[in-house]
Amino acid sequence: MAWVVGAVAGWLLGVLWVWAALSSALFVSSVVVGWRRAGDSAAVSARRHASAMWLALVALSCASAAWLVVKRDYIARDSVARFVYEEGAIARVRGTIVSTPRDVMPGKGSFGGFNFRHPGTLFELEVEGVDAGRGFEHASGAILVRLKQHDHRLVLGQRIEAVGWLSAIGPTQNPGEFDYRAYLAREGVHGRMTLKRRGNWRELAPPRLTLLGLRRSISDAAAASLRLGLPHDPVRTGLLEALLLGRRTSDIKDLSESFRAVGLAHVLSISGAHLGILLVLVWGLGRLLIGRPTVVAWLVFAVLVLFMLAVPWRTPIVRAAVMAGVFCVGYGFGRRLRGIEMLSAAALIVLVWKPTDLFTAGFQLSFGAVGGLLLFARPVSLRIWPEPAVQVVHPTATQQAARWFADFLAVSLVAFAVSVPLVMYHFQLLSPLAALLSLFALPVLTALLGVGYLKILLGLFLPSASSLLAMPVAWLADSMVALVEQSRRMPASSFTLMNPPTVAWVVSAFAVVVAVMSGLFRRRWPALLLAVVLLVGWGVWEQRAVPTRIAGADDPAVELVMFSVGDGSCYLLRSGDATLMFDCGSQAFLQIGERSIVPALSALGVSRLEVLMLSHPDLDHFVGALDVVDAVEVGEVLVSAELMREAESHPDGAAAFLVAGLRERGFEPTVVGRGWTRAFGAAELRLLWPTVDFEGEANNDHSLVLRCDAGGRRIILNGDIQGEAIAALLASDTDLKADVADLPHHGSWVAESPAWLDAVSPVLVLQSSGPRRVDEDRWAQPLEAAGVPRLTTQAGGMVHLAVTQDGRIVWDSHRGGGGEIRP
């Protein structure tokens, strides 16, 4: 507990010299106080010993704080992080592959079937040297490498040299997104490299016999043994390899989402639960055949070592292995330590190894669930099925079955109660059926692990015998899939929270859970009911939509949010209680809706869209629309005539898929064009383009162009209009003047662009694009000559802009920075 308290203090106040000085001074003081015994009475000596103990504990906390600061902030002199820059550069690296290379399928999300990019390969490389233009220099640390092509030649433990684009892992681009940079930094990964082709890497001389090579051989042999006799089914095989060997493939991407949705995501990847089930099975078999606990403990430890050689060393697996190893060694040496003491020892080992793990969901869920089971599973089981008043020496089969069922039910209830607040906090997910599903999933998982690992073991020595277990393993895997898929179709299987609960709520929820499981509320039902009502009411109150406002614009006439989606477009207009989304797409990120837009809407306090307006039939303008419709309440969907024509003329295309998806969800898209107007809170909306009689060659020129008037200012959103549409607009009597405008087609340059800039005469322009259009920039000189500032998502992430009632234009960006333009 002292170490944990120190880690929290170090996280909150990361000043290394303060904690180092305090820990040194307190340790010295504890030694001085503890040694001053001469001539002391027993009472004085006891007080001094107590003082020395408390000084040592406080010193340990300070040392923990200092250690966390060092592990979090210190960069070694030869760290690969010193070669990594935000803007990136071409570099040559040498290193060893330390994670099993896996396929990366770009076709994800609702529109994954319309992606035409090649599958890639992703792996982690432990770097030994970097050449950034000055010859090879020694470097240490890991980077994430992505090859844009599939390459089966890459294997775990291989030593390679690669040439590619070495860059920093980018920060989040929108509020609410998962912070991969912080996550990978905690895992010791400090950069990424992109390889364009298979020819960008070559194998180096293999190292001598290494642990990685041994692990690869064992893992490959285990996988081959698992596949013996199994009927061909990529999803089933992918599920079995994920459950038993920790290998993840793209074949189970949809199944993975189903596991996550019903609250059983932890089942799909090897974790403490899998390892615990396996070792319990070995322990039970060993006690049956051998009997002596100390001998069986070392047998379990040997199985643990073999297991760790066959599976990837991800942090959750290593964490579980440390926990199990401490238990095995404790029993093996005949130490009769309590379970909670051995758990504490395992936690201390993990936190010394990686102190920042304390703040991760994996650590909290693993140790929290196991700690809860050690402390409360037995008492809860006894409350479910009390022991008879008179001890029974030889219980009947019915009594024994009742006891086992009570224990099983208690384990599921305790694990669910402990994990729910943490899952809500870390993942903004509430799965009410998770406890019930666990009751059905745990027996299937236990049987699958037992039979599956037995099949692997037999396959290594008796392949024919292993094949006999193929059908039972396949049946168990299919049962697990059917359970998850059927559960996902059930109403109320899971809820995505608008906001993560606060730390105070999580602590309060834990206090109530601990009080209930400790029996403090026994015969105090009114107090329990009051505590639950207060807790639920508090949680519901925290889920209310709280609009995010820009400093200095408390009551804006209208707000405009430009989400960062790479090469794509997604804007949000908000005036009072009215909200409109203009486009929702991305060219590179097909899951932009689920991964970025929906979390950002939640962070902005948006739970309803009055209007979803889609400008034209390009994926980078609507690929996230169905995810948004599924996540928030939407009033109506407005689309361009070109989008409907595309859907009708190409029934197998993405536009037709979009329209069909909207209709399945109860929305009939309404076609709109020039002349459409609507009062919108304190603003007025008007579509300037396209006209009914316009017949352009490119569908981009049929994009909707939306104007918003509010606070004496004008905002124009131009979609992807190009030369024809711009020329037609300039030739018409349309008043194009606006104060804020997004650059047409994400900042593409056409011959009509200078005339468009003169006609609009903006005081501020926006650009939603990825790095390519910023690098190939032809707008810089004209905008600089006109004195017009430009805000780009590439530079600042999401841009939040407001027009105040007095006509000021105020903005800020997700990655920092802001400004103001006065009338």
Side-chain angles (χ1 to χ4, degrees), residues 171-177 179 562-564 600 603-604 792-793 795-800 811-818:
T172 60
Q173 297 295 310
N174 302 280
E177 289 180 347
D179 193 345
M562 176 174 61
F563 295 106
S564 181
L604 293 170
T792 68
T793 54
M798 186 195 83
V799 174
H800 193 176
W811 71 85
D812 61 22
S813 63
H814 177 64
R815 293 170 66 179

Side-chain angles (χ1 to χ4, degrees), residues 687-765:
L687 281 174
L688 305 181
W689 189 259
T691 59
V692 176
D693 58 349
F694 177 74
E695 296 182 1
E697 292 185 7
N699 66 10
N700 281 348
D701 283 314
H702 291 267
S703 293
L704 298 177
V705 176
L706 178 67
R707 190 179 80 190
C708 174
D709 295 73
R713 298 283 196 173
R714 280 183 178 175
I715 299 172
I716 289 185
L717 301 177
N718 296 280
D720 274 1
I721 58 171
Q722 300 177 157
E724 277 191 89
I726 293 175
L729 276 167
L730 293 173
S732 68
D733 59 354
T734 306
D735 182 5
L736 293 179
K737 287 192 176 297
D739 301 281
V740 179
D742 73 326
L743 295 179
H745 199 186
H746 318 293
S748 295
W749 182 269
V750 294
E752 292 78 9
S753 293
W756 175 88
L757 184 61
D758 290 339
V760 177
S761 299
V763 298
L764 179 70
V765 296

Side-chain angles (χ1 to χ4, degrees), residues 625-649:
L626 296 180
D627 293 329
V628 169
V629 169
D630 288 337
V632 302
E633 184 182 354
V634 176
E636 60 179 329
V637 179
L638 307 181
V639 300
S640 64
E642 182 68 13
L643 191 149
M644 295 304 292
R645 281 195 294 268
E646 177 77 13
E648 293 167 1
S649 60

Side-chain angles (χ1 to χ4, degrees), residues 33-34 36-38 40 43-53:
V33 171
R36 291 177 58 192
R37 300 185 186 177
D40 291 343
V44 173
S45 178
R47 285 197 297 272
R48 283 180 174 169
H49 275 294
S51 299
M53 180 191 72

Side-chain angles (χ1 to χ4, degrees), residues 14 68-75:
L68 181 134
V69 175
V70 169
K71 293 288 284 185
R72 183 185 64 183
D73 300 335
Y74 174 73
I75 298 178

